[in-house]
Amino acid sequence: MGQGLITRRNVMRGALGAGSAVTLGAAAYALGPSYGEAVGQVWRHVEPSGPVDLPYLAHYATLAANSHNTQPWRFSLEGRRVAIAPDFSRVTPVVDPDHHHLYASLGCAAENLALAAGTAGSAAAIGFSQDGADRVEIDLVDAAPARDPLFEAILERQSTRSDYDGTEIPAADLRAVAGAAQVEGSSLVLVSDKAKIEQVLELAIAANTSQVEDPAFVDELRAWLRFNVSQATNSRDGLYSGCTGNPSLPPWLGQLLFGFFFSAKSENDKLARQMRSSSGLAVFVSERDDKAHWVASGRSCQRFALAATARGLRHAFVNQIVEVEATRRQFAELLGLGDRRPDMILRFGYAQPMPKSLRRPVAKVIV
Ligand SMILES: Cc1cc2nc3c(=O)[nH]c(=O)nc-3n(C[C@H](O)[C@H](O)[C@H](O)COP(=O)(O)O)c2cc1C
């Protein structure tokens, strides 16, 4: 999906056209201290009160990657079982008509939760409900507290939607990251050959073009955009333009400029630059095309992201291809996946960090 948002250059061009650019541009670059404070409240370590402390576990779970930052989850505790249920009031029906990304997002959260449980003295077994409740269920049993290096990476991980530096990754690091991402029910395909990345890029551009030219897709994306600090800190969800290095703008101006400058050409140019500057792509493939396996791919993806982060690598999702049915099928063919579904695509490489995204308070997601 085109989550790269309006570019800085476009905004400046638009603002200059409007005649008030220079002050607007200069003021707009700063992320106000209130955003920094909100980030500090969200991205911090907390202490568990015991091995089964739901607010503690949910705190770490909510720091996981999730589609459009909708945070489509509700956490509950029954005895020693934590359930993560979908929150269907936070769906994105255009980009995710079958709730695939929603369940993958629950898988990402489950993995963080399991790592936090380990630190608090519980071993976690992650499963998917068998009774049609369609939720992730995590059973906790007593264990010696263990601080996994992936747990340490939770606070550092972020989707970094910038250009990377293209440096090759040491083979041992890549092997370790791929090894950490192993989850039953999902498999990982790494693409680092430049010619193959070009073939994937061709499909990505086709998918991106069809999304950007679909008014329903653009409207849905627009509804989750947060154009300035107060919009972002009020909702604490969605895609804040500051996270991609873009200026903070009054919402009316942000909407206006988005309408003017969000085009297939500008998004495709950016996508090409970003994919070509990445060291490789990681594709997560579910063994079966159902909710339980989408959760498994989400878990694998989150583990990959954490292991990469622990080794100083950045990542960002480039999912356009798998969101458009026609390109998803062509992509499965290109990778020789047969009937299996490619779930998510991450690009990875080296880059400086960007501002972090926000999360809603844990109290809002516990039932
Ligand atoms: C299933 C899934 C699909 C996603 N698709 C995209 C995507 O297509 N483009 C993108 O830029 N980010 C995508 N994301 C990343 C989310 O937007 C991101 O995780 C969220 O905004 C929170 O930001 P963070 O990862 O920096 O914590 C996806 C994440 C998940 C879990």
Side-chain angles (χ1 to χ4, degrees):
M1 81 191 90
Q3 292 186 6
L5 321 184
I6 43 186
T7 66
R8 180 179 297 187
R9 186 150 36 102
N10 282 343
V11 167
M12 290 304 286
R13 242 196 289 147
L16 278 166
S20 60
V22 181
T23 25
L24 171 70
Y29 282 119
L31 289 177
S34 58
Y35 191 78
E37 271 164 37
V39 166
Q41 284 164 13
V42 171
W43 294 90
R44 67 193 164 95
H45 276 304
V46 296
E47 288 302 318
S49 63
V52 188
D53 174 348
L54 187 61
Y56 166 82
L57 296 171
H59 169 72
Y60 285 101
T62 59
L63 299 181
N66 65 96
S67 182
H68 274 46
N69 199 19
T70 58
Q71 305 162 40
W73 39 51
R74 292 183 198 276
F75 299 85
S76 60
L77 182 65
E78 295 150 23
R80 305 209 63 177
R81 169 173 285 181
V82 178
I84 313 179
D87 179 347
F88 289 115
S89 70
R90 307 182 76 79
V91 293
T92 48
V94 180
V95 73
D96 190 29
D98 58 1
H99 298 152
H100 168 279
H101 280 4
L102 184 153
Y103 283 97
S105 301
L106 300 192
C108 295
E111 203 53 48
N112 271 19
L113 193 146
L115 291 164
T119 308
S122 286
I126 302 174
F128 194 75
S129 54
Q130 302 294 312
D131 59 359
D134 283 349
R135 58 184 202 172
V136 180
E137 293 174 342
I138 304 162
D139 290 319
L140 303 174
V141 294
D142 285 338
R147 228 176 151 94
D148 192 306
L150 295 194
F151 173 80
E152 302 297 344
I154 290 177
L155 293 195
E156 179 63 22
R157 188 210 61 81
Q158 58 165 238
S159 299
T160 309
R161 299 188 190 89
S162 56
D163 294 358
Y164 297 171
D165 72 8
T167 311
E168 204 175 312
I169 294 167
D173 276 359
L174 205 47
R175 263 198 310 276
V177 172
Q182 297 308 309
V183 169
E184 202 184 328
S186 175
S187 47
L188 169 66
V189 178
L190 290 176
V191 181
S192 49
D193 174 66
K194 293 290 173 202
K196 193 81 167 217
I197 291 179
E198 285 300 315
Q199 287 179 293
V200 179
L201 174 60
E202 207 174 298
L203 287 178
I205 285 175
N208 202 41
T209 304
S210 85
Q211 288 186 321
V212 174
E213 290 179 350
D214 173 2
F217 171 86
V218 176
D219 283 350
E220 182 176 86
L221 175 61
R222 191 198 304 265
W224 288 99
L225 295 181
R226 307 290 175 252
F227 290 105
N228 65 16
V229 171
S230 73
Q231 254 194 331
T233 53
N234 284 337
S235 73
R236 289 177 172 254
D237 62 10
L239 303 161
Y240 172 44
S241 53
C243 296
T244 37
N246 287 310
S248 197
L249 296 171
W252 66 267
L253 182 57
Q255 295 279 359
L256 191 73
L257 294 177
F258 177 73
F260 277 144
F261 295 114
F262 185 74
S263 72
K265 161 118 183 59
S266 65
E267 290 301 298
N268 287 339
D269 288 351
K270 184 175 59 195
L271 184 61
R273 234 184 26 246
Q274 293 183 338
M275 282 179 68
R276 287 181 176 138
S277 72
S278 299
S279 307
L281 305 174
V283 185
F284 302 86
V285 182
S286 45
E287 298 297 322
R288 299 221 327 244
D289 194 13
D290 61 25
K291 292 167 188 152
H293 288 80
W294 303 339
V295 168
S297 274
R299 291 181 55 196
S300 175
C301 176
Q302 181 71 13
R303 290 184 66 82
F304 184 97
L306 292 172
T309 302
R311 282 166 181 78
L313 287 164
R314 301 279 162 198
H315 66 275
F317 290 77
V318 278
N319 274 338
Q320 292 90 335
I321 292 174
V322 297
E323 290 165 352
V324 174
E325 207 179 327
T327 49
R328 187 166 72 230
R329 260 188 276 111
Q330 290 170 282
F331 187 50
E333 208 171 296
L334 178 70
L335 297 188
L337 300 179
D339 286 343
R340 288 179 301 150
R341 176 174 181 157
D343 294 287
M344 271 89 61
I345 308 171
L346 289 187
R347 63 184 179 96
F348 54 85
Y350 299 101
Q352 292 303 310
M354 301 290 282
K356 290 247 172 69
S357 60
L358 295 179
R359 297 294 188 275
R360 291 175 297 147
V362 162
K364 294 220 164 168
V365 295
I366 286 184
V367 289

